[in-house]
Amino acid sequence: GRPRARRRSGPAGRAMALEGGRSIYAAPEVLRQEGHGRKADVWSVGCLVLEMGTLTTVLGSRCAEGVNATQILEIAQLRRPPTLPDSLPPDAADFLRRCLDPRAADRP
């Protein structure tokens, strides 16, 4: 089944954690508990591709550093695609920008 969201509190107030999954890969709308669908899965794929290609998260932090509640809250509140490294090939950057659009309706 799909992971269920549950609330956890942290230093930044309320943030989301996912049972059975990594919240750093969760789409903003999932973290805000607005639903989960194919578009949320596209976001997650974008997160994984970015991590594999750059060893960084959507927030630009190194993967090995871990994730805290403040960062999860930041993802939930994204209003535009995250900044991508300049070192990415243009096709990869275009793919990631489309996958990591915080507006679910604008994702492929």
Side-chain angles (χ1 to χ4, degrees):
R2 295 197 175 183
R4 295 182 330 213
R6 78 177 164 185
R7 290 198 185 279
R8 289 211 172 147
S9 57
R14 295 184 308 160
M16 298 303 298
L18 297 177
E19 295 177 15
R22 295 225 16 225
S23 52
I24 191 68
Y25 301 139
E29 66 273 14
V30 173
L31 296 171
R32 292 188 305 266
Q33 293 187 313
E34 296 173 356
H36 181 283
R38 188 184 69 77
K39 302 281 186 166
D41 293 338
V42 170
W43 172 277
S44 297
V45 167
C47 289
L48 288 168
V49 170
L50 177 65
E51 186 174 320
M52 288 188 299
T54 66
L55 300 178
T56 61
T57 69
V58 294
L59 299 176
S61 60
R62 302 291 295 170
C63 296
E65 294 171 358
V67 179
N68 62 45
T70 302
Q71 292 169 311
I72 299 305
L73 189 59
E74 189 176 336
I75 293 169
Q77 296 175 344
L78 281 174
R79 297 291 176 239
R80 51 185 193 275
T83 303
L84 300 172
D86 293 333
S87 60
L88 287 172
D91 288 344
D94 180 58
F95 172 81
L96 289 170
R97 270 195 283 302
R98 293 176 54 206
C99 290
L100 298 174
D101 193 316
R103 298 171 307 265
D106 293 339
R107 287 183 218 132

